[in-house]
Amino acid sequence: MQFQNNKLARKLNNEKDYSTEQKIKEAARTLFTQKGFAETKTREIAEKSGINLALMNYYFRSKQKLYDIIMEENMASFKQGISDLFGRTDLDAYQKIERLANYYIDEFIAHRDLPMFIVSTIYSSTEMDFVNNEQDMISKSRKVFVNQIKDLIAQKKIKPIHPAHVISNLIGLIIFPFMIGPLLKKRAQINEKEFVELMMERRQLIPVWIKSMLEK
Amino acid sequence: MQFQNNKLARKLNNEKDYSTEQKIKEAARTLFTQKGFAETKTREIAEKSGINLALMNYYFRSKQKLYDIIMEENMASFKQGISDLFGRTDLDAYQKIERLANYYIDEFIAHRDLPMFIVSTIYSSTEMDFVNNEQDMISKSRKVFVNQIKDLIAQKKIKPIHPAHVISNLIGLIIFPFMIGPLLKKRAQINEKEFVELMMERRQLIPVWIKSMLEK
DNA sequence: GTCTATAGACGGATAGAC
DNA sequence: GTCTATCCGTCTATAGAC
């Protein structure tokens, strides 16, 4: 197919893809992640991307199909990199935590909608791929990481805690502040620039906090 | 009005209200908090509550009005108790944190949809009452608490941190695990009973964790 | 590939009988 | 108070011209 070849050619040349298809996807991604499926109207997508309403169906057959593709990509972007990192045996747990915090805090600063999207996806989809695919690559390497955590817990002098606490706290400390960003800005009188600075600070702080949870 | 008196009578007798009005609200609360406004259809509410479609409009005039009432109630249930607690001067910060953890963890175990609802409300509503009402009662007493936190930070030997980190971590440690409950159950092979036990453990753990963040 | 026009389904709301 | 029937606006999706 002609247009497939064009796409491939652009990709090989590392050119940005400003095709109609891409414009639709960009607009749709913003709207879907911000407002969800039902709240987002096809007319909005068309308007925001500056294309004709009918073209959305031409390229993606239906709103649902477009949504599925975008959510798939969002999740891929979220997962990307975890697998490699978690599986490594040359890094200890704290080094992994530090890299994890660095990677995702940067990612979330750049894509503000992602945190809320990821968490509500996890929350509302017991059935979903993302939660279920226990046979995928991440699963194996995740176990390496969790075992490292378990080892640290086993070394605790008093009161060992369940690894789920540590995992949950780790994810929460990274992702949660982004979800209450509006509240922090309003109540703590923080502006956008300060908010980003605070999040950057956390890249160093989170490993320290997790360490103190594990070493008492 | 006759039906108002009936309502009152039931309330005075501490009887559960199984009126049609109540059945609609119960069904709608679940659907709205789980799926949001647009995603929830009036026909679903009717079906789930076993009532006729037209009755929703009879009692609440419109879907929007019903939504507003429910969200108001959700928020009230969330806010309830904070104001009193935060304003007290006979309790130190750690005692307040402990009571806060106790109160909300119990609340969230009983109402599983609340965490996700609260956070997405905060997230998506810079304009909303809940975030904006800086003149309300909670605001004043919140300041008492935040000042207590600031005092503790000031006592830190090295590297004082921004109070926003502490507040954000505190809220996150309490509420976040409920949002990734499905993930924990799936990945950490935790069943419902164990999940509740883990959450109960956190009532003691969170104050300790916050303490260690503040005392290093 | 892109556009206009419109078909066709869906969902919120109400009229009116009981 | 509760029900059936239905109206009507909104939205997705497609037919068909260019």
Side-chain angles (χ1 to χ4, degrees):
Chain A
M1 250 186 275
Q2 185 57 33
F3 102 92
Q4 272 292 351
N5 288 338
N6 283 342
K7 246 174 88 172
L8 184 59
R10 267 197 301 277
K11 203 162 187 181
L12 291 172
N13 290 323
N14 243 338
E15 290 171 26
K16 265 258 175 182
D17 189 349
Y18 289 123
S19 62
T20 302
E21 193 182 351
Q22 202 56 28
K23 281 191 288 186
I24 297 171
K25 265 167 68 171
E26 285 311 316
R29 184 186 318 280
T30 310
L31 291 168
F32 279 143
T33 49
Q34 274 174 2
K35 319 204 300 174
F37 182 76
E39 211 98 25
T40 302
K41 310 302 174 192
T42 52
R43 283 169 172 84
E44 286 182 277
I45 298 174
E47 190 186 0
K48 190 175 177 101
S49 53
I51 57 109
N52 185 278
L53 176 59
L55 288 177
M56 193 215 75
N57 291 286
Y58 174 76
Y59 283 102
F60 300 97
R61 280 210 48 81
S62 77
K63 181 187 172 189
Q64 183 66 54
K65 289 255 167 53
L66 173 57
Y67 182 80
D68 292 345
I69 289 169
I70 286 172
M71 294 306 125
E72 187 67 33
E73 285 184 7
N74 272 351
M75 274 304 167
S77 144
F78 170 60
K79 287 180 177 182
Q80 189 198 6
I82 319 186
S83 186
D84 304 336
L85 177 63
F86 276 1
R88 289 177 64 168
T89 46
D90 58 327
L91 298 174
D92 68 27
Y94 294 126
Q95 289 170 318
K96 287 182 185 179
I97 289 170
E98 198 182 327
R99 294 191 184 203
L100 202 70
N102 281 325
Y103 176 78
Y104 280 115
I105 288 175
D106 288 350
E107 187 82 357
F108 294 153
I109 287 173
H111 304 102
R112 289 308 168 86
D113 301 330
L114 216 47
M116 199 62 217
F117 164 76
I118 290 163
V119 175
S120 41
T121 303
I122 291 172
Y123 178 71
S124 61
S125 44
T126 321
E127 330 289 304
M128 200 181 163
D129 267 11
F130 171 68
V131 182
N132 276 335
N133 265 0
E134 202 48 39
Q135 72 277 29
D136 69 20
M137 301 255 294
I138 294 180
S139 181
K140 270 183 92 168
S141 39
R142 209 194 64 245
K143 284 201 181 99
V144 176
F145 178 65
V146 173
N147 282 333
Q148 289 178 307
I149 296 286
K150 283 183 183 164
D151 287 348
L152 287 172
I153 292 172
Q155 289 165 27
K156 277 191 78 177
K157 282 118 214 146
I158 41 157
K159 289 198 211 165
I161 55 173
H162 196 289
H165 287 306
V166 183
I167 301 298
S168 161
N169 292 354
L170 174 58
I171 304 176
L173 288 172
I174 293 175
I175 206 170
F176 187 74
F178 289 95
M179 294 198 269
I180 55 164
L183 187 73
L184 292 178
K185 286 178 187 167
K186 206 73 191 169
R187 288 285 162 89
Q189 309 277 42
I190 295 169
N191 63 33
E192 172 58 22
K193 187 167 158 290
E194 289 164 335
F195 179 76
V196 172
E197 281 166 9
L198 283 174
M199 293 306 106
M200 296 296 275
E201 275 175 33
R202 295 177 78 85
R203 305 182 354 159
Q204 266 77 54
L205 289 169
I206 288 169
V208 176
W209 290 331
I210 297 290
K211 195 173 261 182
S212 73
M213 286 175 186
L214 282 169
E215 288 184 350
K216 263 234 283 254
Chain B
M1 248 185 275
Q2 185 56 34
F3 101 92
Q4 273 292 352
N5 288 339
N6 283 342
K7 247 173 91 173
L8 184 60
R10 268 197 300 276
K11 204 164 185 178
L12 291 173
N13 290 321
N14 243 335
E15 290 172 26
K16 267 259 173 181
D17 189 350
Y18 288 124
S19 62
T20 301
E21 194 182 350
Q22 202 55 30
K23 282 191 290 185
I24 297 171
K25 266 168 67 172
E26 285 310 315
R29 183 186 318 280
T30 310
L31 291 168
F32 280 142
T33 48
Q34 275 175 1
K35 318 204 301 174
F37 182 76
E39 215 91 27
T40 302
K41 312 302 174 191
T42 52
R43 284 169 171 82
E44 283 182 280
I45 298 174
E47 190 184 3
K48 189 174 176 100
S49 52
I51 57 109
N52 185 280
L53 175 59
L55 288 177
M56 193 216 74
N57 291 286
Y58 174 76
Y59 283 102
F60 300 97
R61 282 211 48 82
S62 75
K63 180 188 174 188
Q64 183 66 54
K65 289 255 168 54
L66 174 56
Y67 181 80
D68 292 344
I69 289 168
I70 286 172
M71 295 305 126
E72 188 66 35
E73 287 183 7
N74 273 351
M75 274 304 168
S77 143
F78 170 61
K79 285 180 175 180
Q80 188 199 8
I82 321 188
S83 187
D84 305 335
L85 177 63
F86 276 0
R88 288 177 65 168
T89 45
D90 58 326
L91 298 174
D92 67 27
Y94 294 127
Q95 289 170 316
K96 287 182 184 179
I97 289 170
E98 198 183 325
R99 293 188 186 206
L100 204 69
N102 282 324
Y103 176 77
Y104 281 116
I105 287 175
D106 288 349
E107 187 81 358
F108 294 154
I109 287 174
H111 304 102
R112 289 308 168 84
D113 300 330
L114 216 47
M116 199 61 216
F117 164 76
I118 290 164
V119 175
S120 42
T121 303
I122 291 172
Y123 178 71
S124 61
S125 45
T126 322
E127 329 289 303
M128 200 181 165
D129 267 9
F130 170 69
V131 182
N132 276 334
N133 264 359
E134 203 47 38
Q135 72 278 32
D136 69 20
M137 302 253 295
I138 294 181
S139 181
K140 272 184 88 171
S141 39
R142 209 193 65 245
K143 282 198 183 103
V144 176
F145 177 65
V146 173
N147 282 335
Q148 289 178 307
I149 296 287
K150 282 183 183 162
D151 288 346
L152 287 173
I153 293 172
Q155 290 164 26
K156 277 191 79 179
K157 281 118 217 147
I158 41 157
K159 290 198 206 163
I161 55 173
H162 196 291
H165 287 308
V166 183
I167 302 297
S168 161
N169 292 354
L170 173 58
I171 305 176
L173 288 172
I174 294 175
I175 206 169
F176 187 73
F178 289 94
M179 294 197 270
I180 53 163
L183 187 73
L184 292 178
K185 286 179 187 167
K186 205 74 189 167
R187 286 286 161 89
Q189 309 277 40
I190 296 168
N191 64 33
E192 171 59 20
K193 188 167 159 290
E194 289 164 336
F195 179 75
V196 172
E197 281 165 8
L198 283 175
M199 294 305 108
M200 295 297 275
E201 275 176 31
R202 295 178 77 85
R203 305 184 353 160
Q204 266 77 55
L205 289 170
I206 288 168
V208 176
W209 290 331
I210 297 290
K211 194 173 262 183
S212 73
M213 286 174 186
L214 282 169
E215 289 185 351
K216 260 234 282 254

